Each structure stands twice: as C-alpha cells, then as structure tokens.
Amino acid sequence: MPGIIDRYRDYLGIPNIPAITLGEGHTPLISWATWEQSDIFLKLEGTNPTGSFKDRGMTVAVSVALSEGAQAVICASTGNTAASAAAYAGRAGLPAFVVAPKGRITQEKMLQALVHGATFLTVEGNFDAALAVVRATAQANPAIALVNSVNPWRLRGQETGAYEIVDELGQAPQALVLPVGNAGNISAYFQGFRRYGRGIPHMFGIQAQGASPLVAGYDFENPETIASAIRIGKPASKHLAQEAVAQSNGAFLAVSDEAILQAQRELARGGVFVEPASATAYAGLKVLREQKRLPAGPVAAILTGTGLKDGDTPRRWVDVKTQSTDADHLEGTIRALLKEGTVHVAH
Ligand code: F0G
C-alpha cells in the first residue's frame, strides 16, 4: 500500500513532488462496542510507522520541505512529533533538530528521535516555550523548515485520517472524539471531513484537566498532567479548533488524570495499548456516554499513539509481578491459578 500522499494526492493539493514516505496511514478502525444506540469505533493511529498519527502530517511536511530546498527541519515537541520528524528527515536525508521541554518527555520518544539521527535539544519550561523558540529560529533561517502543526502541510496530511474513516464507513461518523494538545489534529480532522464532503461529525475535543485551556477559555501558564504528550497550555491552533467545535456543534471536555489512567487500563484489558494522551479520548467518550450525549449511529475515537512509548505510566496501575516456574510445574501452576480464579481478563 502506498503512503497517504500517493493515495490522496488529489485531495491534498500538493504539487507533483516525490513522496518521502514510510507507508503511513491505512490504520485499523476497529469496532469496539455498542453503547445504547451508538456504535463505537476506535482508530488505532499508534500503528503508524513511528507509533503515532504525526506521520500523516510529517510525510507531507517533509516531502514539501525537501522539494522546496530546505536544508534541515526543526520542531518543538512533547515527543511524538520529534520521533516522526526525525524518522522522515532521516528518510529524506535531511538533518533534524528537535526541541523538547527538559525532563518532560518519555525516554522512549527521546530515544526514537536519537536513533533516527536527530539533534536533540532541551529548553527549560514547557512545550509552549519550546515552540516559541523554534518558531523564531525557523523565521530567522528560511533554509530550516518548521514541521510543527503550525505548518499548514502538516494539517493537510492529518486530514487523511478523516478521509480513511469516511472511506471505511461510507460516510462521516455522527461524532468524532479526540485528544487535544496543541489543537492541530482536531482542526485537521474537521478540515478533512469538510473537504471530503460526506458529512461532518460533532467534534469533541478532550483535554486533560490540568492542561485544559480550551475548556477553561484561558491559557495555562503551568500545564500539568500525566499525559505528557498533551501537556500544553497555549495551543497554537486554538482558533481553528474552536471553529471546528462551534461549527460542528461539538464541545471541549476535560477529564482527570485518574480517569485517563482508568481509560488506559480499560483499553489495555481489551487488547488496545495506547499512551495516556490517547486514553484521554476514551475517557472523554465515557463521559459523553454517561451524560447521554453520544449520538445514535457510528461514533469514532482517535487513539493517537501507541502505549509502547510510555512504559512508566502504566506501572501506576499494572501489577508488575511474575511467577517463576519450571517445566515440571508449569501445568500444575496454571491449573491452580485458574481454579483460584486469580487469572482472568477484567474489563
Ligand atoms: N495524542 C498524542 C499521542 C500526541 O502526541 C499529541 C500531540 C496529541 C494527542 C494532541 O494533538 O497537538 O494536534 O492537539 N503531540 C505533540 C508532539 C504536541 O509534540 O508530539 P494536537
């Protein structure tokens, strides 16, 4: 399967340039449950090449940057953008500079950026501070392409998540639920549904309570949440996201860290391991269910990134224990555990 550029070139409106691709997109849309009249689908964006939805935007941003003669790419990141930028820059043969808030991104995401050869820089403060410095650097150096979602090509590429859902369901879902940090992805999906012309879902943007400027209506100076990917106080695409929610008759909602961990656990017990930021969407879905705000018909939640990039967080709820055994005792041990009822899958 080709990546998203070759599948959707006409919709993306990009010139006839070679695609820098790692085969991103065509991620699974799984049927998860039926809740009253709503059919719940989960889109597993963690199955993209670098483990998050960022690859959809990055393939376009890096392809365009290379064709326009960029000599390097730069981004600020809470981790996933950094990993994606590093991988696609590697594919393109371009150097990548990634700037992260010091000590605030997971080890796995940092390693990903480094193995792909990126230069990893840290700044004191949060993501918002990092984004401010990379914007200034890119502005002063036209040969360095900024590949954050303030780059319109990133949003174009991320629209393809909406196209795929429509292709699969035959129409837009009734509601779309997704986590919101810098607010690029919700804006891209809205744009995508609009462009594809098969209906627009109610857009529900879910934020972590401690980093919920779009719910509160004001910026957060010190955003704080366990969901490090969306620990953002001043979303760059705030206005686009507000428009998406207002025009689609949706809403922004905040969920607690506790609810995020519970959602992560519930998904994992059902076979779907996502990072906390992605579990935020599922926690929001549950709130909408409780409040009886889910429309009848198909409802999709975007699970933006794999759980494998944040190994530490699940330790807060998973019982990390193993039992040693040997060939002679394995069967007896399992038999005893099953009998005790201590081994089971609980949702
Ligand atoms: N989910 C995950 C896993 C993310 O990494 C991000 C953002 C979001 C959701 C929110 O998307 O910013 O478009 O509203 N991560 C960025 C990064 C900020 O640097 O990787 P958004």
Side-chain angles (χ1 to χ4, degrees), residues 53-54 77-81 179-185 229-230 232 275 277 304:
F53 72 98
K54 305 286 180 180
S77 183
T78 54
N80 283 320
T81 298
V180 173
N182 211 23
N185 209 30
I230 52 171
I232 293 174
E275 69 165 274
T304 45

Side-chain angles (χ1 to χ4, degrees), residues 269-319:
R269 292 293 206 244
V272 177
F273 185 25
V274 299
E275 69 165 274
S278 313
T280 302
Y282 190 72
L285 197 62
K286 288 174 41 174
V287 171
L288 291 167
R289 178 191 195 184
E290 277 157 29
Q291 297 179 345
K292 302 197 183 307
R293 291 166 74 185
L294 286 179
V299 169
I302 310 301
L303 302 185
T304 45
T306 173
L308 294 171
K309 292 195 195 202
D310 180 352
D312 278 342
T313 303
R315 288 174 193 275
R316 293 174 185 248
W317 55 262
V318 77
D319 195 6

Side-chain angles (χ1 to χ4, degrees), residues 203-224:
M203 305 287 296
F204 291 101
I206 318 299
Q207 300 207 285
Q209 214 145 53
S212 55
L214 286 161
V215 181
Y218 50 82
D219 289 347
F220 281 34
E221 286 308 318
N222 296 304
E224 198 44 77

Side-chain angles (χ1 to χ4, degrees), residues 137-181:
T137 304
Q139 205 148 33
N141 298 275
I144 306 179
L146 179 63
V147 296
N148 277 106
S149 56
V150 293
N151 175 334
W153 289 116
R154 273 279 311 277
L155 295 195
R156 263 308 167 85
Q158 287 170 214
E159 284 184 25
T160 60
Y163 306 167
E164 286 181 11
I165 293 175
V166 172
D167 283 348
E168 204 154 332
L169 298 179
Q171 60 177 61
Q174 296 300 311
L176 191 84
V177 184
L178 73 180
V180 173

